[in-house]
Amino acid sequence: MTIAENWGDMVDETEFGFPAPKEIIEGDLKKVVSFEERDEKMMKITRHYKLSKVKVPRAVADRKKWKKFGDCSKDAPGINPAHSMVGDAVFLTLATKKDQQEKKEDDMADKVSKIKASGQGMVVCRICKGAHWTKQCPYKDTLGAALDVREEEANASKMPTRAPGTYVPPAIRKGDSRDDSQSRQRDENPTIRVSNLAEETSDKDLQELFKPFGTLSRIYLAKDKNTGISKGFAYITYNRRESAEKALKQLHRYRYGHLILQVEWAKPSGS
């Protein structure tokens, strides 16, 4: 009675107890047969590769002729699947700042086109009157010095219209002596107006900037009611006129951050 040998006894085994991988080349096709352990079972895995010739730099070709060492010292030329694994090619594309800017402009153009297509009203920038948001105005830095928010100041200082017969507090009645004295006192105080401030400017920043020139009486930083972001201008009041003059002389056209400050005497209220 003849007993057939087990196929596992007929093949060479590696140090892990698995048969050694085999390569079979047929024309431009290569078949690699290997054995792996999966779920505590030995599995036979067959991989198929298509061979192709690629021109490489001379340095790469010379490096392939180097003699192998270590566990691969007896391997044939090429990659041995028992020791090496070829991963998928990963291609890295670095985007330049110009590409990011162009993508941002394209996204903005798409938003504007969608607004036009929907029939809604266009957004108008308060700086350059362009069809975009003020926060994203490309001319904000160049037109910031010439930006005059007179309209907003006028709206803030306008007296609300009242119907005839409506009660008017004495402090805001026309010709009231207390109101005149308070307005006169505000006008006589040494107050300067600083404009072209960055959106992230805070009261603490203004205090640190203007305090070295003298004692401050009041700081008013104009902010948006909804977002709390600076509108770009502020009023600084000193106790002495000499301090205000010194601050105006030193800080006019002073570079603060990435902007140039514009400092001038504040105009009297009502003018």
Side-chain angles (χ1 to χ4, degrees):
M1 179 176 170
T2 304
I3 301 176
E5 294 186 43
N6 189 0
W7 65 271
D9 299 332
M10 300 172 60
V11 297
D12 297 332
E13 294 187 352
T14 63
E15 59 180 346
F16 298 103
F18 299 138
K22 291 186 178 180
E23 293 185 359
I24 302 174
I25 299 177
E26 298 176 354
D28 59 347
L29 298 177
K30 182 174 71 171
K31 181 172 66 174
V32 179
V33 181
S34 59
F35 299 87
E36 298 179 3
E37 182 181 359
R38 295 184 181 180
D39 298 333
E40 299 181 354
K41 295 181 180 180
M42 186 169 60
M43 306 291 292
K44 179 181 178 183
I45 300 175
T46 303
R47 296 183 175 89
H48 298 270
Y49 300 93
K50 184 175 182 180
L51 303 178
S52 60
K53 293 183 179 181
V54 179
K55 289 185 178 181
V56 297
R58 183 179 297 275
V60 177
D62 294 339
R63 187 165 62 247
K64 290 184 177 182
K65 298 178 183 179
W66 291 354
K67 184 178 179 180
K68 296 185 178 182
F69 56 90
D71 295 338
C72 301
S73 59
K74 297 181 180 180
D75 292 346
I79 297 176
N80 187 351
H83 305 292
S84 305
M85 180 179 296
V86 180
D88 297 333
V90 178
F91 300 96
L92 180 62
T93 303
L94 299 177
T96 62
K97 185 176 291 185
K98 182 179 179 181
D99 296 337
Q100 295 177 353
Q101 183 65 23
E102 291 178 354
K103 182 178 179 182
K104 186 176 180 181
E105 293 176 357
D106 294 340
D107 294 342
M108 182 60 62
D110 293 340
K111 291 181 181 178
V112 173
S113 60
K114 289 180 180 179
I115 294 176
K116 289 182 178 179
S118 62
Q120 299 177 358
M122 290 295 297
V123 179
V124 179
C125 175
R126 68 184 180 92
I127 295 179
C128 66
K129 306 304 179 184
H132 53 255
W133 299 100
T134 300
K135 190 175 181 181
Q136 299 175 346
C137 179
Y139 308 103
K140 187 173 184 180
D141 294 340
T142 56
L143 298 180
L147 175 62
D148 192 359
V149 204
R150 303 299 183 186
E151 183 178 353
E152 296 183 1
E153 297 177 7
N155 294 335
S157 61
K158 281 183 180 179
M159 297 291 292
T161 56
R162 300 177 182 273
T166 306
Y167 173 77
V168 180
I172 61 175
R173 291 177 184 173
K174 186 176 180 180
D176 185 77
S177 58
R178 287 175 295 179
D179 183 49
D180 294 341
S181 61
Q182 292 175 359
S183 300
R184 193 180 306 110
Q185 183 179 3
R186 286 197 304 267
D187 295 343
E188 292 175 356
N189 285 339
T191 302
I192 57 178
R193 182 181 186 273
V194 54
S195 59
N196 206 24
L197 295 171
E199 292 182 346
E200 58 271 12
T201 304
S202 62
D203 295 340
K204 184 178 179 181
D205 297 334
L206 294 177
Q207 186 175 6
E208 294 176 354
L209 181 63
F210 288 91
K211 191 175 181 180
F213 301 100
T215 305
L216 297 175
S217 175
R218 180 173 176 266
I219 295 178
Y220 171 73
L221 175 63
K223 299 180 181 179
D224 187 270
K225 295 181 180 179
N226 298 326
T227 62
I229 299 176
S230 169
K231 291 184 178 181
F233 68 95
Y235 291 94
I236 312 297
T237 303
Y238 286 92
N239 289 340
R240 298 176 59 84
R241 186 175 183 86
E242 293 79 3
S243 302
E245 290 177 350
K246 188 185 299 182
L248 190 149
K249 183 178 180 181
Q250 295 292 332
L251 297 180
H252 182 57
R253 298 188 180 279
Y254 175 77
R255 181 174 181 178
Y256 187 65
H258 61 284
L259 300 175
I260 305 298
L261 298 181
Q262 301 293 322
V263 184
E264 59 184 353
W265 288 108
K267 296 183 179 180
S269 57
S271 61

